[in-house]
Amino acid sequence: PNPVTDQAVVRITCGTPSNVTLRVCDLLGREVARPATSHHFGIGTHNIDVDVRDLPAGAYLMVMDTDELRQSLPLIKLRY
């Protein structure tokens, strides 16, 4: 979803039903937003809207935790 100005859509695919938490962190690891907290997703592909309008321009990490794994992806926020 890079780069973004105000909103990103994160697409996830679950092979088994899972609880998903998605956080946006600065590069020091501090959480700056939490678009999804323990949402239960069934098997299949799902979209999570990530609103970053209130964040300053810069580099961030999107951290997704599920019942089985943790994955981090870069997020670049541009000015608008």
Side-chain angles (χ1 to χ4, degrees):
N2 282 310
V4 299
T5 55
D6 58 357
Q7 187 167 347
V9 177
V10 177
R11 180 171 290 169
I12 63 167
T13 301
C14 298
T16 60
S18 187
N19 292 309
V20 175
T21 297
L22 181 66
R23 299 176 292 132
V24 179
C25 299
D26 64 16
L27 295 181
L28 296 176
R30 298 177 294 205
E31 183 177 307
V32 295
R34 188 178 286 224
T37 303
S38 296
H39 283 256
H40 184 77
F41 290 105
I43 296 171
T45 301
H46 310 278
N47 292 329
I48 301 174
D49 294 326
V50 180
D51 185 355
V52 295
R53 277 177 254 196
D54 294 333
L55 295 178
Y60 298 91
L61 291 174
M62 288 189 297
V63 181
M64 181 183 67
D65 293 304
T66 70
D67 295 334
E68 299 175 0
L69 66 91
R70 173 178 282 177
Q71 184 175 8
S72 298
L73 299 169
L75 175 71
I76 305 299
K77 166 70 165 50
L78 299 178
R79 294 179 221 230
Y80 57 92

